[in-house]
Amino acid sequence: MGRDAQRLAEAAGAARARGAEVETAAVPLTETAALSRCLQEFDAAHPVDLLIANAGVKTGNHGGIEPAVQAERVIAVNLTATIHAVQALLPAMHARRRGRIAIVGSLAAVAPHGDLLSYSATKAGLQAYATALRRSLAGSGVGVTTVIPGFMDTPMTDRQKGPAPMLMPPARAARIVARGLEQ
Ligand SMILES: NC(=O)c1ccc[n+]([C@@H]2O[C@H](COP(=O)([O-])OP(=O)(O)OC[C@H]3O[C@@H](n4cnc5c(N)ncnc54)[C@H](OP(=O)(O)O)[C@@H]3O)[C@@H](O)[C@H]2O)c1
């Protein structure tokens, strides 16, 4: 799922070329009713084993000044939409007693950055949410993984000013995440 149909089609083409069966859906995550409906319809046809909640937005601030409306947008995508996606699928996963939810957080959760007020807050919120969810699902057959990346060489990092220590190519990060999920 994404919101850019053209890029989704390109990603789907690359995955099909490697032998995957692919369906795509272009849904802005902030349209939470459409997001939940889309996930539930997909799950009814293809029971979901793994949800990776990856989309996120990062915006900066200076001297602690961040317009509240900007913070609201960051919270809407990073935190609220992720919770909607998880809760759309959880009842079915719970009933099947199988499935895994992977939530992409950030090192900013544990090392909040002075120039990333709301971003750091949402990633800390996601980390606490994932930990609480893992505890509440103990013994249910449904697992929860928190992914905590450092800097990856993606458009998000391209837009950032300032240093990006230990920058990792996204393909390498993806391999590490996949290995962790398999374990
Ligand atoms: N890059 C890093 O160094 C780094 C470090 C730690 C954690 N992370 C986390 O890793 C995840 C992936 O980030 P990235 O580096 O790949 O960032 P990115 O290059 O900016 O990509 C973010 C993705 O989220 C999608 N997205 C944003 N808002 C959306 C919305 N309202 N509806 C649907 N999709 C939306 C974007 O779609 P569009 O292209 O349509 O905008 C894009 O595909 C994020 O959760 C980020 O916080 C990244």
Side-chain angles (χ1 to χ4, degrees), residues 3 7 27-29 54-57 77 104-106 119 123 149-152 154-157 159:
R3 60 181 171 172
R7 281 183 33 228
V27 180
L29 296 182
N54 175 62
V57 287
V77 176
V104 179
S106 168
Y119 180 81
K123 293 301 183 175
F151 284 109
M152 299 180 287
T154 66
M156 178 179 281
T157 305
R159 289 188 295 267

Side-chain angles (χ1 to χ4, degrees), residues 3-171:
R3 60 181 171 172
D4 181 330
Q6 173 65 29
R7 281 183 33 228
L8 270 179
E10 286 164 16
R16 284 193 191 99
R18 288 169 169 240
E21 260 179 54
V22 184
E23 282 188 32
T24 60
V27 180
L29 296 182
T30 44
E31 292 179 16
T32 50
L35 167 67
S36 300
R37 197 169 51 245
C38 180
L39 285 169
Q40 285 167 347
E41 284 173 6
F42 182 86
D43 187 74
H46 315 277
V48 173
D49 290 318
L50 170 66
L51 169 72
I52 303 179
N54 175 62
V57 287
K58 177 154 102 177
T59 53
N61 56 272
H62 297 288
I65 309 292
E66 181 183 34
V69 67
Q70 173 181 301
E72 274 181 14
R73 276 201 302 273
V74 175
I75 293 166
V77 176
N78 295 8
L79 197 52
T80 309
T82 299
I83 292 172
H84 275 274
V86 169
Q87 292 300 331
L89 291 180
L90 203 49
M93 285 184 171
H94 210 274
R96 291 192 288 270
R97 298 191 64 77
R98 74 178 258 128
R100 176 155 296 273
I101 290 159
I103 293 179
V104 179
S106 168
L107 270 184
V110 289
H113 199 291
D115 292 334
L116 297 170
L117 287 175
S118 56
Y119 180 81
S120 302
T122 57
K123 293 301 183 175
L126 283 177
Q127 191 154 329
Y129 185 81
T131 302
L133 193 60
R134 185 179 307 115
R135 288 179 180 159
S136 89
L137 291 172
S140 73
V142 181
V144 181
T145 299
T146 316
V147 179
I148 308 175
F151 284 109
M152 299 180 287
D153 193 4
T154 66
M156 178 179 281
T157 305
D158 290 346
R159 289 188 295 267
Q160 173 181 311
K161 296 186 183 72
M166 300 174 71
L167 188 68
M168 185 180 285

